[in-house]
């Protein structure tokens, strides 16, 4: 059951993100800042879902739950790197939409090709730095409570559970700092969309109003789901932790966004539909 469920989700994410990437690369009309960021988002989504789901599918098919220590550290590093970079990119995309709608005459100046490359590179670099810090801290903790984790991939909260109780405070502090940064980025995204809605509500055209809302609301929904589940999973007390709850939350932040992002960003986008 797990194998077929994960296979369906993985193939949907592979197809959706692959189509978005191909369309943006092949259609010169989509060589704009918004689609450049969307291309980066699709690449991160493909990497994110490929880090966890294929290994879980193999384990389900062969009735095993084993992963090597090196494989676990590589999986954790890749996942933290890709998720952190994706969240930074979602913040950049919110800024892109804010400038496009609120300051359209300055769009070409504020978001030129060089600025777009710099912002994307900063998103990837911040994810890499975050992953290095978390992976180094997490795997420097002595593991003294066995080697079994109740999850279908290696993640920081599950490794905490098998570590010595007095040894993980440094990494717990780093997680708390990261959670604060995530929350600040969410506030920035929220304020960007508040500004967008203020401008959009003054638009006399009902078609323009509908187009702006149809783009902004799904994006905000994905960002809220992403942020709330990541923060909940990493900061929830052990007293309310359970294998079924941990599994559901992990799927919501690591598997669902890569699968639904292509639908959200292309379903009502006429330019992408024509490119397809």
């Amino acid at each position: 059951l797990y194998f077929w469920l994960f296979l369906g989700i993985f193939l949907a994410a592979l197809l959706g993100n692959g189509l978005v990437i191909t369309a943006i690369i092949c259609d010169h009309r989509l060589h704009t800042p918004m689609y450049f960021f969307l291309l980066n988002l699709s690449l991160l989504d493909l990497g994110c879902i490929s880090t966890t789901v294929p290994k879980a599918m193999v384990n389900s098919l062969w009735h095993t739950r084993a992963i090597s220590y090196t494989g676990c550290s590589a999986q954790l590093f890749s996942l933290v790197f890709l998720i952190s970079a994706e969240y930074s990119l979602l913040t950049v995309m919110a800024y892109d939409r804010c400038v496009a709608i609120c300051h359209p005459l300055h769009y070409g100046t504020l978001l030129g090709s060089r600025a777009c490359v710099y912002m994307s590179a900063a998103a990837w670099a911040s994810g890499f730095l975050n992953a290095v810090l978390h992976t180094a801290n997490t795997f420097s903790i002595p593991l003294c409570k066995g080697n079994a984790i109740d999850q279908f991939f290696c993640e920081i909260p599950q490794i905490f559970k098998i570590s010595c109780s007095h040894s993980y405070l440094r990494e717990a502090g780093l997680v708390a700092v990261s959670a604060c940064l995530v929350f600040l980025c969410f506030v920035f995204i929220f304020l960007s969309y508040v500004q967008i809605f203020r401008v959009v509500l003054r638009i006399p055209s009902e078609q323009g109003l509908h187009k702006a809302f149809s783009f902004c609301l799904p994006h905000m929904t994905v960002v809220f789901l992403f942020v709330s589940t990541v923060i909940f999973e990493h900061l929830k007390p052990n007293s309310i932790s359970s294998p079924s709850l941990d599994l559901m939350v992990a799927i919501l932040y690591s598997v669902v966004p890569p699968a639904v992002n292509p639908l959200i960003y292309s379903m009502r986008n006429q330019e992408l539909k024509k490119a397809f």
Side-chain angles (χ1 to χ4, degrees):
L1 178 63
Y2 279 128
F3 173 79
W4 290 110
L5 176 65
F6 280 134
L7 179 64
I9 295 172
F10 182 68
L11 290 178
L14 197 66
L15 177 63
N17 288 293
L19 281 173
V20 170
I21 292 169
T22 305
I24 293 173
I25 291 174
C26 295
D27 195 326
H28 65 90
R29 294 171 299 180
L30 301 182
H31 295 174
T32 62
M34 182 180 82
Y35 293 108
F36 174 73
F37 295 135
L38 186 56
L39 172 67
N40 280 268
L41 183 68
S42 294
L43 290 171
L44 289 168
D45 281 338
L46 278 179
C48 187
I49 202 166
S50 299
T51 300
T52 57
V53 171
K55 177 63 178 173
M57 287 163 54
V58 170
N59 284 358
S60 298
L61 197 61
W62 294 104
H63 302 289
T64 178
R65 299 184 67 184
I67 186 171
S68 67
Y69 187 84
T70 306
C72 183
S73 58
Q75 191 178 61
L76 189 143
F77 172 84
S78 300
L79 192 65
V80 174
F81 167 47
L82 294 164
I83 286 180
S84 301
E86 180 165 337
Y87 187 60
S88 299
L89 194 66
L90 288 172
T91 308
V92 171
M93 291 174 74
Y95 172 72
D96 168 66
R97 290 298 83 205
C98 185
V99 173
I101 294 174
C102 302
H103 308 284
L105 297 179
H106 299 283
Y107 187 71
T109 306
L110 294 173
L111 284 161
S113 56
R114 184 175 295 181
C116 292
V117 170
Y118 285 162
M119 284 191 283
S120 295
W124 287 81
S126 65
F128 181 81
L129 179 61
N130 198 34
V132 168
L133 291 173
H134 280 291
T135 306
N137 271 304
T138 300
F139 286 95
S140 66
I141 298 170
L143 305 179
C144 57
K145 298 178 183 176
N147 61 352
I149 57 174
D150 292 323
Q151 192 55 272
F152 66 95
F153 64 92
C154 292
E155 64 172 357
I156 294 171
Q158 297 300 328
I159 295 174
F160 278 0
K161 291 180 180 179
I162 60 173
S163 66
C164 300
S165 58
H166 61 277
S167 303
Y168 66 83
L169 294 178
R170 183 178 58 184
E171 174 59 18
L174 188 58
V175 168
V177 171
S178 296
C180 292
L181 293 175
V182 166
F183 181 73
L184 288 175
C185 287
F186 178 74
V187 170
F188 176 82
I189 294 171
F190 178 77
L191 293 177
S192 297
Y193 279 102
V194 167
Q195 186 69 17
I196 289 171
F197 290 145
R198 286 179 59 189
V199 172
V200 162
L201 289 173
R202 300 175 193 159
I203 299 175
S205 167
E206 187 175 339
Q207 184 179 1
L209 189 69
H210 175 72
K211 183 178 180 181
F213 270 96
S214 66
F215 180 85
C216 296
L217 288 177
H219 186 202
M220 275 300 295
T221 304
V222 169
V223 170
F224 178 75
L225 176 68
F226 187 69
V227 173
S228 59
T229 50
V230 168
I231 291 180
F232 178 76
E233 175 63 16
H234 287 79
L235 296 183
K236 73 178 185 299
N238 288 329
S239 58
I240 64 170
S241 181
S242 68
S244 56
L245 178 63
D246 292 344
L247 176 66
M248 183 181 69
V249 173
I251 288 175
L252 283 176
Y253 81 78
S254 66
V255 177
V256 172
V260 301
N261 276 342
L263 287 174
I264 287 172
Y265 289 105
S266 63
M267 200 162 50
R268 297 187 179 184
N269 190 312
Q270 296 301 322
E271 292 177 332
L272 264 181
K273 284 183 179 179
K274 290 176 183 178
F276 291 153

